[in-house]
Amino acid sequence: PVAIDAARRRREREAVAEAWPDFLDLMSGMISAGATKPDAVIAAARRAPEPLSTTARPVEESVAFGDGFVPALERLRTHLDDPTSDRVLTTLVFAHQSGGHRVGVVISSLGNSIADELRFRRAHTAALTEQRMTAVVALTAPWALLALTISTNPQDSAAYRTTTGSVIIAIGFVLTALGFLAARRSARLSQAPRVMQ
């Protein structure tokens, strides 16, 4: 259950991160057309891909009837619980509070930065696919050869049934598992930390 929940959360974070570049492009266009930042966020959220499109109503209600734009963004950041969302929403809060005529450029640059990072991660994952398949072959081939040897050669089978043979197999299994875990860990991209929690 823990592994399934972690995989589900990872997929949700990836879906949110994938939606941010389109959201920021829409918002940058709205600001360039003269919309206020709250109106641009609401309109971009309505037209953004899932799961960001579901965030428009709470932000709109908070702006119209609640405690305002910045608290709505802070609640959204807590709800999304994602490093990419932290970067975007913290930038939007700062842009709203400080203003300036460069807000559209900053938002556009942020969208390009996130899109570049997502492209890099996809390319890294694709490049690792072949290496993972090679690692699986390297992992299983010695054990398949050992199983074939034991099943076809009675002398080897008898040798591995001894205490020494069992210890050798156990040590080999542990070292293989440790090597596999180390290889997976070294190939994994680190996750960006959450900012300003």
Side-chain angles (χ1 to χ4, degrees):
V2 173
I4 292 171
D5 184 61
R8 179 188 59 78
R9 288 176 59 81
R10 186 177 63 250
R11 285 192 302 270
E12 287 174 355
R13 285 192 180 114
E14 289 170 358
V16 169
E18 291 282 347
W20 277 121
D22 290 338
F23 174 93
L24 291 171
D25 283 344
L26 291 166
M27 186 178 171
S28 178
M30 301 272 184
I31 288 175
S32 298
T36 64
K37 285 177 279 296
D39 290 342
V41 166
I42 292 167
R46 285 177 179 164
R47 295 170 54 190
E50 286 286 348
L52 290 182
S53 60
T54 59
T55 64
R57 181 171 296 279
V59 174
E60 185 174 6
E61 289 175 353
S62 181
V63 169
F65 310 111
D67 49 2
F69 182 58
V70 171
L73 293 183
E74 292 294 343
R75 282 193 297 274
L76 180 59
R77 189 164 70 87
T78 302
H79 171 71
L80 292 175
D81 187 28
D82 167 60
T84 306
S85 301
D86 283 347
R87 284 168 53 195
V88 172
L89 295 171
T90 301
T91 302
L92 294 180
V93 167
F94 181 76
H96 179 69
Q97 291 173 337
S98 60
H101 64 283
R102 306 278 299 170
V103 169
V105 176
V106 170
I107 290 171
S108 179
S109 298
L110 179 61
N112 291 336
S113 171
I114 292 172
D116 288 343
E117 180 182 326
L118 293 172
R119 276 193 293 274
F120 171 76
R121 287 186 175 273
R122 283 192 295 266
H124 177 77
T125 302
L128 285 178
T129 301
E130 184 178 348
Q131 294 177 15
R132 285 187 182 129
M133 289 192 299
T134 304
V136 168
V137 171
L139 174 75
T140 56
W143 293 101
L145 182 61
L146 178 64
L148 181 64
T149 302
I150 290 174
S151 63
T152 58
N153 191 328
Q155 290 177 331
D156 288 339
S157 177
Y160 282 111
R161 283 197 187 103
T162 64
T163 303
T164 304
S166 298
V167 169
I168 290 172
I169 288 176
I171 291 171
F173 182 78
V174 168
L175 292 176
T176 301
L178 290 175
F180 178 72
L181 293 174
R184 282 181 61 90
R185 185 169 182 81
S186 66
R188 188 174 60 196
L189 283 173
S190 63
Q191 292 294 324
R194 293 196 64 200
V195 295
M196 300 180 70
Q197 284 183 289

